[in-house]
Amino acid sequence: MIQFILGSAVALPLYHIFNRYIARQTNKRHINEDLNYVRSGDNNVNFLSDIISRLWSNLRVAVSARIRKTIEPILEEMGLPLKLVKVDLGVTPLRFENIVVRELQKSSDEAGYFKMNMDMVWNSTCDIQLKGDHLIPKFGIANITFSGRMQFVFNPLSDVMPCIGGIQIAFVDPPDIHLDFTGIAAFANSHLITDIIDEALNSTLEKMMVLPNRMLYKMDPTCDYLKMHLPPLGIARITARNGWGFKVQKGTFKDDVVDVYLKISLGNRTCQTKTIKNNLSPTWDESMDFLLSSHDQKVTIEAWDEDDHVLDVDDFLGSTVLTAGNFLLSSGSGYAKIPLQIENKDCGNHVALNCQLCPLSSKLKSYQMPPSDHDKNHLGGLVTIIVVRAINLPVPKEEAASCVKITYGRTKLATGVVAYVPEYDGLAGYDPLNPDYDATFQIPLNYEHMQLDRTSRIKLELVNGKKVIGTLELSHADLMAAPNTTISETRAIGEGALLQFDAAITGFESNAPQNGPNFDPEKETQIELNTKNETAQPSSTDVKKGKESSQEQQVLVTILSGNGFKAHKKFLKADIPDIYTKVKVGSNPKIWQTSTMKNSLTPVWNESREFQYFNHNQVLNVGVYDANSKGKDDLVGSFRVTVGQVLLDGGVKEMELTLNGKMVNKFIKIQCEQVLKKTN
């Protein structure tokens, strides 16, 4: 099933490009020329869903067989005496919606990659039956409801067929899964069984293919997995400043002034602020850290009223869900005003939060700072372990079923099992005695990890079946002393076997805002998030002013430098270009022209200009020219990019120029920064 989806995922961008070409030729529909992303229309979505619909009668059989082979070993490992008696996924096929193809990105080795996101939706009447021992009667699953946003990473790209080294697939956030049980499991007293199954399913998916974890499918069996690895974007540091609008709760005997705390979730991590007692305008001044792998990951913010009585549950005061990208853009260098909702309606409660992206760094300052009890929501850095392959397993080929298990403190992880399968014997890229694991594990260093002694070790075990072939250990001292705090080796493990792996420890650079006066919704410039109907695109939220504001939101645009320019012959001699740029921002009719860098193939400007900032979708139109002393200046190329896309890339972005619809291998580096300007 995964192979089919991946194959369709390759075809979809090509199909979209074909659609764009036809549309340009016939001029029958509008083409979105925004260079930052391409959002497919209904035809493209139906294209993929229709193919799956036609093939579903075959796919349901193949996928059912794969589920049995995958789930039964997991149940056995968990110690559950359950067997799958029947797996029939029903007649309703999977559906795909809301497809977005992202712009081409350059990787560290300049190979290039791109991403594609889509929603997967499935609601099917099925017939899945499980049988236990004499203590667990037969039961089944009658309906599956499943929805989640998937991300495909096509990396690395090359000029040799199949042009894509591999495809990595993951859910951006944990998908929503609901199972309707039948038989004994449908009764109220059997929640223990259903909870275990739900937990096993969610835990397995999370470990395999929920960001930052990705499943890999190699298009080119010879592709080096280390070149396919994409590091996370960094650490998202969310700071909860203050709240307002909370109301006294009416009680039976007396009214209650709320005791407010916040729960904030991103990925598989949830952090909680302290509780501010008896306060309708609480101030927290607390920050918390999350590993961020995609700007499309959701941030969930909930406010609760803490109840002291043992038998009472905390009261829900509202929540909101927004993408990390929208949050980062809307925070800027200050705080974003976030309205809370109850049952999709604004409830009048608000919080002021900031989200800053802290880049990962081989400088380990964040790791070396000892945590205190009030820092339990902070991270110290990240340990990344990439297990590539084992070599020369000392077992008979027919008995090969190996994996690598990783232990760090109480964190336990494992690669997938590579086993001998007779029908795969002899296929290119398949060798169970020299198995490719191609697995990446990213371990955020939380409070518990930071409490470990610096001599604590990371243990890697090579296991075949239930037998440990060998073990190797890495200490923090080893990693910290290695070049770029990274060890990339092939080491002996056990009798005659080798293990190829890559291990690194990184810190991060914190740039969260300093504590100051509380956010005042009446006096300060505020960015109010529109959390309704949010898409994967940057938000088009407008900047608003408070009633007594004396500040105006601006964007500082800087043209930094250029490269890739070449001299050309002119009247039998080499003419080195004299480069300048023209910049137009949004609907502002004024055009800003930089100075001319004479006789330069690598011009450097570092020139800036401020423009009024309305929203993150303001487009920067940049034209690049070669000045001529006589006659008209030559257009070298141009590009378009939104302010939001530059900000999401850390504020600096290198853009390739196009001329007559073609890339010309010439680049301009541009910078954007949000600033506040006094208006009186």
Side-chain angles (χ1 to χ4, degrees), residues 544-586:
K544 300 181 180 181
K545 291 185 182 180
K547 293 180 180 178
E548 301 176 23
S549 173
S550 60
Q551 295 179 315
E552 184 180 78
Q553 191 83 0
Q554 301 275 305
V555 58
L556 181 67
V557 179
T558 304
I559 301 296
L560 297 171
S561 60
N563 67 81
F565 297 96
K566 295 178 174 61
H568 55 274
K569 286 188 176 181
K570 193 171 186 179
F571 301 116
L572 302 179
K573 68 175 183 179
D575 178 31
I576 300 176
D578 305 323
I579 303 297
Y580 67 90
T581 70
K582 290 183 177 181
V583 182
K584 183 177 183 297
V585 179

Side-chain angles (χ1 to χ4, degrees), residues 445-462:
L445 298 176
N446 58 26
Y447 178 79
E448 178 187 320
H449 293 125
M450 297 293 287
Q451 292 286 5
L452 294 174
D453 190 277
R454 291 297 187 262
T455 60
S456 61
R457 307 178 80 82
I458 302 167
K459 183 169 71 172
L460 283 73
E461 287 182 312
L462 179 58

Side-chain angles (χ1 to χ4, degrees), residues 239-264:
T239 302
R241 179 65 179 132
N242 64 297
W244 64 95
F246 295 98
K247 302 170 185 64
V248 174
Q249 304 293 302
K250 298 293 183 181
T252 305
F253 301 105
K254 66 174 183 177
D255 294 342
D256 176 36
V257 180
V258 291
D259 308 323
V260 186
Y261 67 89
L262 299 182
K263 277 186 180 180
I264 301 178

